[in-house]
């Protein structure tokens, strides 16, 4: 604890005496949050909050036949898998915690979903990385296969090996208000919760934006090493800087792929914040990300050797 406070105090002193670098990093972090995270993640967070709310489960209890209720829970789990691979970090983690909060999955199943279904989204991969950074949009399908197939197969295999996650929808206390008013109240709560989550993510982006700005001003480190360290810290600014290195496109691609699987320490901290209070291990999540980053690097290297 003392070490942590000492480190924080030193960081504050450095930030105070270097306002230009601090402002530069903070501006970039906030810009990434406002124009990148908010429009791409917030709608999906609100949608998942609404779909997976206990009240919606309770309403469906009165609509669905008894035999279909357990399939709705299956739908929610596969929605978690789908969203984790398509909506972008850390929406997969957010949906997992919603399912745990509603007691629809066990902590073991939640850990599997967290480890394997919380990934960089295709919009970032195709739009930012392949099109804007390395100008190889034709590699989109190949890139998605390399990034997603190993984790998707692992998640399905691990879920298949453990006991079924089928459960009946838990009943909730009925209230003396109309169904439409219920829906609007649920939507209000979903929106408020979504903004709370996105604000926390923005705080981490702000902090890591400042750290990356200071990292870029370390004079004794070679530029290439600084770029890769920044990529490990925060994926967006790191990938952008990595794409500017004077090297072959195939080398940039090979260096970037494991970073895309890992997601960066910033997204790791965002995920840790989301799963706080739930029986989920951030250490297990980190280990899985490192292992799959190595798998991604191996597969990418093999494909690059074949293609080039």
């Amino acid at each position: 604890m003392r070490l942590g406070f000492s480190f924080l105090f030193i960081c504050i002193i450095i930030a105070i005496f270097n306002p230009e670098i601090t402002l530069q990093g903070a501006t970039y972090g906030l810009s990434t949050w406002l124009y990148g995270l908010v429009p791409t993640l917030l709608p999906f967070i609100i949608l998942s909050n609404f779909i997976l709310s206990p009240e919606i489960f309770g309403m469906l209890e009165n609509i669905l036949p008894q035999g279909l209720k357990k399939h709705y829970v299956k739908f929610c789990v596969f929605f978690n898998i789908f969203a984790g691979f398509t909506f972008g970090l850390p929406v997969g983690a957010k949906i997992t915690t919603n399912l745990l909060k509603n007691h629809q999955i066990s902590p073991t199943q939640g850990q599997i979903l967290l480890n394997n279904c919380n990934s960089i989204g295709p919009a970032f991969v195709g739009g930012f990385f392949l099109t804007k950074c390395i100008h190889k949009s034709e590699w989109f399908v190949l890139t998605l296969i390399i990034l997603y197939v190993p984790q998707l197969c692992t998640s399905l295999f691990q879920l298949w090996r453990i006991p079924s996650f089928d459960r009946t929808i838990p009943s909730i206390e009925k209230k003396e208000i109309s169904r439409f008013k219920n829906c609007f109240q649920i939507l209000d709560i979903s929106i408020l919760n979504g903004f709370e989550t996105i604000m926390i993510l923005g705080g981490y982006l702000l902090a890591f934006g400042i750290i990356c700005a200071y990292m870029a001003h370390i004079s004794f480190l070679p530029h290439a090493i600084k770029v890769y360290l920044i990529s490990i810290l925060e994926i967006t600014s790191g990938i952008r800087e990595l794409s500017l290195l004077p090297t072959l496109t195939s080398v940039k691609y090979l260096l970037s792929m494991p970073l895309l699987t890992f997601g960066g320490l910033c997204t790791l901290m965002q995920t840790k914040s989301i799963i706080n209070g739930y029986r989920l291990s951030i250490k297990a999540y980190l280990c899985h990300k490192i292992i799959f980053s190595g798998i991604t690097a191996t597969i990418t290297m093999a494909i690059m050797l074949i293609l080039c």
Side-chain angles (χ1 to χ4, degrees):
M1 184 68 72
R2 290 180 180 178
L3 181 63
F5 277 117
S6 301
F7 177 75
L8 181 62
F9 179 75
I10 292 171
C11 289
I12 292 173
I13 294 299
I14 293 173
I16 290 173
F17 285 95
N18 295 274
E20 291 183 6
I21 301 175
T22 304
L23 179 62
Q24 176 188 345
T27 302
Y28 182 80
L30 287 175
S31 176
T32 303
W33 172 75
L34 181 60
Y35 299 108
L37 231 62
V38 172
T40 57
L41 291 188
L42 183 58
F44 297 116
I45 293 174
I46 294 173
L47 176 65
S48 65
N49 288 341
F50 184 80
I51 292 176
L52 301 176
S53 65
E55 292 81 5
I56 294 297
F57 280 114
M59 289 179 184
L60 285 171
E61 191 172 26
N62 300 321
I63 299 172
L64 293 179
Q66 184 65 33
L68 292 179
K69 292 176 184 177
K70 62 181 181 180
H71 295 296
Y72 180 76
V73 176
K74 268 188 177 180
F75 160 76
C76 290
V77 174
F78 285 107
F79 174 69
N80 192 163
I81 295 174
F82 172 77
F85 286 114
T86 55
F87 294 171
L89 286 162
V91 177
K94 179 62 178 171
I95 296 174
T96 300
T97 58
N98 284 346
L99 289 172
L100 280 171
K101 182 172 64 176
N102 297 339
H103 306 290
Q104 296 300 325
I105 56 174
S106 69
T108 302
Q109 293 154 352
Q111 190 68 56
I112 292 171
L113 291 169
L114 175 68
N115 292 344
N116 300 292
C117 307
N118 189 46
S119 302
I120 292 289
F124 181 91
V125 174
F128 180 74
F129 171 56
L130 292 175
T131 303
K132 188 175 180 180
C133 291
I134 66 171
H135 311 292
K136 284 290 181 181
S137 57
E138 64 272 19
W139 291 359
F140 180 62
V141 175
L142 174 65
T143 303
L144 294 188
I145 292 173
I146 296 171
L147 290 174
Y148 296 159
V149 169
Q151 296 182 77
L152 177 60
C153 292
T154 302
S155 63
L156 293 175
F157 176 71
Q158 290 180 336
L159 286 170
W160 172 74
R161 289 184 60 192
I162 60 178
S164 173
F165 45 74
D166 288 346
R167 286 194 57 179
T168 56
I169 300 172
S171 60
I172 59 169
E173 183 182 354
K174 295 180 180 179
K175 297 182 180 179
E176 296 296 327
I177 51 178
S178 70
R179 181 180 301 175
F180 289 104
K181 190 174 182 182
N182 265 328
C183 288
F184 283 120
Q185 287 179 335
I186 297 165
L187 183 59
D188 288 345
I189 294 171
S190 300
I191 292 172
L192 287 172
N193 185 266
F195 271 97
E196 179 184 359
T197 302
I198 207 73
M199 291 296 290
I200 293 172
L201 303 187
Y204 281 106
L205 266 176
L206 173 66
F208 275 86
I210 295 172
I211 293 171
C212 289
Y214 279 97
M215 179 70 70
H217 284 79
I218 297 177
S219 57
F220 61 84
L221 284 177
H223 179 64
I225 294 178
K226 283 193 291 187
V227 167
Y228 212 74
L229 288 174
I230 290 172
S231 301
I232 293 173
L233 288 171
E234 204 280 303
I235 189 70
T236 305
S237 55
I239 290 293
R240 180 176 58 83
E241 292 297 326
L242 197 152
S243 68
L244 299 176
L245 291 176
T247 185
L248 297 173
T249 301
S250 58
V251 175
K252 296 176 186 178
Y253 185 78
L254 177 60
L255 292 174
S256 300
M257 287 297 283
L259 293 171
L260 290 171
T261 299
F262 180 66
L265 291 176
C266 181
T267 57
L268 179 73
M269 295 304 297
Q270 291 172 346
T271 300
K272 185 180 185 303
S273 172
I274 287 174
I275 67 172
N276 240 1
Y278 296 89
R279 293 170 60 188
L280 297 170
S281 171
I282 194 65
K283 291 182 180 178
Y285 172 78
L286 175 60
C287 288
H288 273 73
K289 284 297 181 185
I290 293 172
I291 291 170
F292 278 110
S293 295
I295 293 172
T296 299
T298 304
I299 296 173
T300 306
M301 188 179 298
I303 291 176
M304 287 293 102
L305 289 174
I306 293 171
L307 294 179
C308 300

